[in-house]
Amino acid sequence: MARNVVIVGAQWGDEGKGKIVDILMESADIVVRFQGGNNAGHTVIVGEEKFVFHLIPSGILHAGKKCIIGDGVVVDPEVLIKEIDVLKARGIFRPEDLLISNNAHLIMPYHKRLDAARERLRGENKIGTTGRGIGPAYEDKVGRCGIKCGDLLNEETFRFKLKNNLVEKNHYIQTILHEEGFAVHELYHTYTSYAEVISRHIMDTSKFLSDAIAAKKKILFEGAQGTLLDVDHGTYPFVTSSNTVAGQAATGSGVGPSRIDKVIGITKAYCTRVGEGPFPTELSGAEADWLREHGGEYGATTGRPRRCGWFDAVALRYAARINGLDGLVVTKLDVLDKLDKIKVCTKYKYNGKTIEDFPTDGGTLARCEPVYEELPGWNSQTQGITSFEKLPKKAQAYLKRLEELSGVKVEIVSVGAKRNDVIILKDPFK
């Protein structure tokens, strides 16, 4: 039996991880977010209510389940507090269920200003960041001048680090970017007011998780974004600023890798991408518009329309290898219900040759042409179906073909946006 399960996006993000985390929390005791920041958006629909999470794991909807913001996350306290307030107003938030790692780094206002100004300077060469300061916050972490959540617990330490940082940040912001700088006292008072709200949640979450593992608790490790946006293994430079792959679950939560029992990859039944960068199976015109509208493909965090395309099995095979996937979750199968024909990319053509491995070099990938296999559509509704055997035969065949192409078994299928629109072939925890 698997006790510690990692969930990762197997595409470019937006695969529906929030809903799957919400479902699996029925079996788990603890959920840990292990990377990224509020550039993530996880949407869960329960009954007629819609919840959008950016920092707090969606497991917070389950009373008594501990929700941890891990070491590898960068935290914007303003966003976090707003998220808490929304949950409080809806009668959901329980303070004892939220824990924040003292080692998680803070996003500061100067990070956001740097992020937005740099994107403007890049012009046509922009990366397509969300402008939320994620990248600059990780830069400071690696540059050893970041400020941690734990620093909020000591006002003297916080003020010292803030003052030192602003000497350099203000010089760069004002001299190079020609933007307005920041006053130490203003940021100090703002962030100490945030500390009054969130300090009760800040602790050594690595130790908490170690004790939970010893007590044989079931832990779900929740990733944000997707494999192909990983800063080391994605389509660099059009990636996020953190490691999104399964290996980060250990690093970003302070749990030894030998404690991970199972890795599950989440993929849509087609492909989407937000922001800039190569996307071999991208569609344009009426086909792209149809998928976008029927799939509701607009960012939960930014509202940006997502780029849409056919399923890319080359990319999924790569994600399976990089993450060591033990199982697959296929979401949004129902979006394809009305199509007569469905295409799946099985390989690429590059410089006149056929290749079956995914090139992470952006220039190479941009010149790859998809080689498609055409499968028949099922032209009937899948939403509301709760067992694999009751799916249309052609929908079953489509899922089996994805298994064959990826080498990974499908364990869960999502056939709608709501919590109960799901087919569970195998619970990863059982």
Side-chain angles (χ1 to χ4, degrees):
M1 179 177 71
R3 292 192 185 277
N4 303 318
V5 176
V6 177
I7 290 287
V8 292
Q11 297 172 310
W12 278 282
D14 309 308
E15 300 95 349
K17 295 180 288 295
K19 172 181 173 175
I20 302 306
V21 167
D22 174 59
I23 290 168
L24 293 181
M25 284 308 293
E26 294 285 349
S27 300
D29 301 301
I30 301 166
V31 59
V32 190
R33 170 81 182 276
F34 59 82
Q35 52 78 214
N38 58 299
N39 53 344
H42 291 170
T43 303
V44 179
I45 298 177
V46 182
E48 299 303 316
E49 289 197 82
K50 181 179 180 179
F51 301 87
V52 179
F53 299 93
H54 301 287
L55 281 168
I56 299 176
S58 52
I60 199 74
L61 296 176
H62 298 262
K65 311 280 181 153
K66 298 297 184 186
C67 297
I68 297 176
I69 296 175
D71 307 46
V73 179
V74 287
V75 178
D76 185 331
E78 180 183 11
V79 172
L80 177 60
I81 291 168
K82 286 179 181 177
E83 204 163 311
I84 289 171
D85 288 342
V86 168
L87 290 172
K88 281 181 177 177
R90 299 174 78 167
I92 289 170
F93 186 72
R94 297 162 303 281
E96 66 275 13
D97 287 348
L98 177 64
L99 309 177
I100 304 169
S101 170
N102 54 356
N103 284 325
H105 279 244
L106 290 168
I107 294 175
M108 305 298 292
Y110 48 77
H111 292 138
K112 290 184 271 191
R113 190 160 295 173
L114 285 168
D115 201 356
R118 286 172 178 172
E119 278 289 85
R120 284 197 297 272
L121 285 175
R122 290 186 183 108
E124 293 182 358
N125 298 316
K126 65 181 179 179
I127 294 172
T129 77
T130 59
R132 283 161 169 76
I134 311 296
Y138 277 116
E139 287 176 34
D140 278 3
K141 178 178 181 176
V142 176
R144 295 167 291 182
C145 62
I147 302 176
K148 296 184 177 184
C149 287
D151 293 327
L152 291 176
L153 305 181
N154 186 315
E155 291 185 5
E156 186 177 335
T157 299
F158 175 71
R159 187 178 183 88
F160 175 79
K161 289 188 173 184
L162 177 64
K163 186 177 180 180
N164 280 353
N165 278 2
L166 282 181
V167 171
E168 178 187 336
K169 302 301 181 188
N170 278 339
H171 178 74
Y172 182 75
I173 288 169
Q174 294 167 334
T175 306
I176 307 299
L177 300 177
H178 305 293
E179 298 273 350
E180 186 179 349
F182 295 89
V184 173
H185 69 277
E186 289 181 2
L187 293 193
Y188 174 78
H189 288 299
T190 298
Y191 273 68
T192 51
S193 70
Y194 293 154
E196 291 176 6
V197 180
I198 66 173
S199 60
R200 64 178 296 183
H201 304 287
I202 299 171
M203 64 177 293
D204 184 347
T205 54
S206 173
K207 177 64 166 61
F208 178 89
L209 287 168
S210 177
D211 292 343
I213 290 170
K216 300 189 183 304
K217 297 291 186 182
K218 294 178 181 177
I219 304 172
L220 184 63
F221 296 83
E222 172 189 1
Q225 288 90 35
T227 297
L228 305 179
L229 293 178
D230 185 278
V231 69
D232 287 316
H233 306 290
T235 52
Y236 192 87
F238 302 102
V239 293
T240 195
S241 300
S242 61
N243 289 110
T244 61
V245 295
Q248 177 65 17
T251 308
S253 61
V255 168
S258 62
R259 298 297 182 261
I260 304 298
D261 298 317
K262 191 168 188 176
V263 180
I264 302 296
I266 304 186
T267 176
K268 283 176 181 168
Y270 51 97
C271 267
T272 64
R273 178 166 194 171
V274 172
E276 308 301 317
F279 182 8
T281 65
E282 183 173 12
L283 295 170
S284 60
E287 284 185 308
D289 293 341
W290 189 94
L291 264 182
R292 187 177 301 110
E293 294 306 315
H294 282 75
E297 296 299 350
Y298 297 89
T301 297
T302 62
R304 288 187 291 182
R306 296 177 185 139
R307 300 156 65 189
C308 297
W310 295 118
F311 191 88
D312 190 335
V314 182
L316 182 59
R317 282 196 297 270
Y318 174 73
R321 173 168 63 84
I322 290 295
N323 291 294
L325 296 183
D326 299 304
L328 273 183
V329 176
V330 178
T331 63
K332 293 200 169 185
L333 184 71
D334 56 298
V335 175
L336 306 181
D337 284 353
K338 297 179 180 179
L339 295 176
D340 295 321
K341 299 288 184 182
I342 302 168
K343 292 181 180 180
V344 175
C345 172
T346 59
K347 56 192 76 170
Y348 298 149
K349 276 190 177 179
Y350 175 71
N351 283 348
K353 296 181 179 179
T354 299
I355 60 173
E356 297 190 10
D357 293 321
F358 185 82
T360 56
D361 172 68
T364 302
L365 188 63
R367 295 190 292 274
C368 286
E369 297 178 13
V371 177
Y372 287 116
E373 177 179 308
E374 192 170 82
L375 300 171
W378 42 93
N379 269 307
S380 65
Q381 182 174 307
T382 57
Q383 187 176 7
I385 294 175
T386 56
S387 70
F388 184 82
E389 293 73 21
K390 291 183 180 178
L391 283 172
K393 296 297 182 186
K394 291 175 181 178
Q396 293 183 33
Y398 183 72
L399 292 170
K400 288 183 181 297
R401 185 58 180 143
L402 300 190
E403 287 183 336
E404 292 169 357
L405 289 167
S406 66
V408 186
K409 288 288 185 182
V410 173
E411 298 194 352
I412 298 175
V413 182
S414 175
V415 290
K418 295 182 179 179
R419 178 187 273 175
N420 58 356
D421 289 330
V422 66
I423 299 167
I424 300 178
L425 289 79
K426 182 180 180 182
D427 186 326
F429 284 103
K430 297 178 182 177

